[in-house]
Amino acid sequence: MGKGMRVLLGVSGGIAAYKIPYLVRGLVKAHHEVRVVLTRHAREFVTPLTLETLSGFPVLTSLFEIHGSSMPHIEEPFRADLMVIAPATANIIGKIANGIADDLLSTMVLALDAPLLVVPAMNTRMYRHPAVQANLEILRKRGVHLLEPGTGELACGEEGPGRMAEVEEILRVLENLGLLKGPLRGKKLLVTAGPTVEPVDPVRVLTNRSSGKMGYAVAAEALRQGAEVMLISGPTCLPPPEGVDFVAVETAWEMQEAAEKHFPRYDVLIMTAAVGDYRVETPAKEKMKKGEASLTLHLVENPDILKSLAGRKRPDQFLVGFAAETGSLREKACRKFTAKGVDLLVANDVTEEGAGFGSDMNRVLILDRTGKVEETGLLPKSEIARRILGRIVDEAFPP
Ligand code: C5P
């Protein structure tokens, strides 16, 4: 099961802010991770301490406060799966409709690349004002989800539309819009990771420098997005992400056997593993003794797991390959795309400093069937995993 969404919750300065702790509690109870951003005026209505206690994370209030990140205005919206602004005052609605970014919350909206739900709350006359209505229309046209305010008695004593939707309704709307469901819910992903290890004799092995970090990040992110995940892994130092079906293997043959056995039950195969291309034909039964000045090992080619599964996949199955290269990345990646018969290929240059094997960071090219090549910047492997899964969702499971 997925572990829930990352919800960025912006609170602006309206009396309805007093209801927001209940919204935070509802989301946290449903296993979502909530990061709260308060405007300066919102702090007059609800305290950061309350929201911090309920969400379990520091509440962000200013562009210049540092909470483990020097750029929360970019990083928080970047890692959010969705954003909610509740209550949204006439002021914040006006600012985000017009691209004004003069505080943390409005700045975050400009950096957001995820769905946004705006829950307006204000005095009836303000709500009906043509300026506010025009701003709401701009947001609507931009694809922002709006939860119309309720009609009734307002805190100011007037009657009419303007009262913030109840917390239960906000939660219901988020659910109905599918915003709290992982995009991979109901999908089955098979991920391979790590190196393979081929015996030379009972003591020595042939292996490679793969740490498994990229594949484990893909498996963890897929779980978070609601997928059922099996991870077939060569030996690594990493704990399997909680919730995966884990299969430990050593050699390329073992990996092939496991992949072939399970692949028919899965929608997507992501071959992140660095599979050894060769193995020693006949590993020595006993430890080989030194004595000769030189030694020749006779190597034979391993099966190409990806290529063989690509040749047999059903039309509804989707295959993702990886390519770790040293230089001329784009040309080599294009050639590999064709040779392997995959639907998506992720390529990286392992000679780049601070990226690739063993590192927590990576920079990749993502090639698809249309010939498009997406280039990511240098990003944490968890973010690279998110990009890859985003592409899989778009291409393998279009709406
Ligand atoms: O040919 P190359 O090893 O560069 O291809 C890399 C891609 O092919 C990766 O996705 C890797 O997991 C997969 N592969 C495989 N079987 C092999 C070698 C690589 O499935 N024997």
Side-chain angles (χ1 to χ4, degrees), residues 51-129:
L51 296 168
E52 221 158 275
T53 309
L54 291 171
S55 69
F57 290 101
V59 166
L60 305 160
T61 50
S62 149
L63 272 165
F64 307 106
E65 237 168 18
I66 296 183
H67 273 302
S69 150
S70 56
M71 287 195 279
H73 65 296
I74 296 171
E75 282 165 18
E76 291 297 337
F78 188 61
R79 60 194 293 287
D81 296 309
L82 73 133
M83 183 169 187
V84 178
I85 303 183
T89 58
N91 182 48
I92 190 75
I93 290 169
K95 287 201 288 190
I96 65 176
N98 293 285
I100 294 170
D102 66 349
D103 63 1
L104 183 58
L105 178 53
S106 51
T107 308
M108 282 177 165
V109 175
L110 284 188
L112 185 73
D113 188 25
L116 170 62
L117 174 73
V118 169
V119 190
M122 67 198 76
N123 165 274
T124 297
R125 275 173 294 139
M126 289 172 74
Y127 182 69
R128 288 192 172 130
H129 194 284

Side-chain angles (χ1 to χ4, degrees), residues 271 273 275-277 303-306 321-322 336 340:
M271 277 297 298
V275 185
D277 289 326
D304 190 319
I305 305 168
L306 187 57
F322 274 68
K336 193 150 290 180
K340 296 273 182 180

Side-chain angles (χ1 to χ4, degrees), residues 75 78 211-215 217 322 346-364 376-385 388:
E75 282 165 18
F78 188 61
S211 64
K213 285 181 179 172
M214 192 64 246
F322 274 68
V346 182
N348 68 312
D349 187 337
V350 291
T351 58
E352 180 177 341
E353 197 137 323
F357 284 155
S359 167
D360 289 327
M361 306 289 283
N362 211 352
R363 179 200 303 277
V364 302
T376 69
L378 185 64
L379 295 169
K381 283 183 172 169
S382 56
E383 281 306 327
I384 298 280
I388 296 167

Side-chain angles (χ1 to χ4, degrees), residues 198-202 280-286 288:
E198 306 291 347
V200 173
D201 68 14
V280 174
E281 186 176 33
T282 324
K285 292 234 165 12
E286 292 193 8
M288 292 160 69

Side-chain angles (χ1 to χ4, degrees), residues 141-287:
K141 286 211 175 106
R142 206 178 282 157
V144 171
H145 302 286
L146 291 176
L147 178 48
E148 302 293 334
T151 301
E153 194 186 338
L154 302 175
C156 56
E158 290 183 31
E159 291 260 346
R163 194 165 70 184
M164 187 177 83
E166 295 301 332
V167 164
E168 293 71 30
E169 202 187 339
I170 300 176
L171 290 170
R172 198 165 44 242
V173 165
L174 287 172
E175 198 66 60
N176 291 347
L177 288 171
L179 297 179
L180 292 178
K181 287 198 190 106
L184 286 169
R185 189 153 297 192
K187 305 295 177 204
K188 294 178 167 194
L189 270 66
L190 183 57
V191 182
T192 66
T196 55
V197 175
E198 306 291 347
V200 173
D201 68 14
V203 179
R204 289 107 176 176
V205 294
L206 284 183
T207 187
N208 59 62
R209 293 187 189 277
S210 169
S211 64
K213 285 181 179 172
M214 192 64 246
Y216 278 55
V218 168
E221 182 63 24
L223 273 178
R224 222 182 50 73
Q225 296 195 12
E228 190 183 307
V229 182
M230 175 177 279
L231 177 60
I232 302 175
S233 175
T236 73
C237 299
L238 306 169
E242 206 178 310
V244 294
D245 266 340
F246 189 71
V247 180
V249 296
E250 294 219 334
T251 65
W253 272 106
E254 287 169 11
M255 188 170 276
Q256 183 184 39
E257 206 172 42
E260 289 196 341
K261 177 173 166 200
H262 297 290
F263 182 55
R265 280 201 308 113
Y266 284 81
D267 301 303
V268 180
L269 169 68
I270 309 175
M271 277 297 298
T272 321
V275 185
D277 289 326
Y278 292 92
R279 67 180 183 282
V280 174
E281 186 176 33
T282 324
K285 292 234 165 12
E286 292 193 8
K287 184 179 172 188

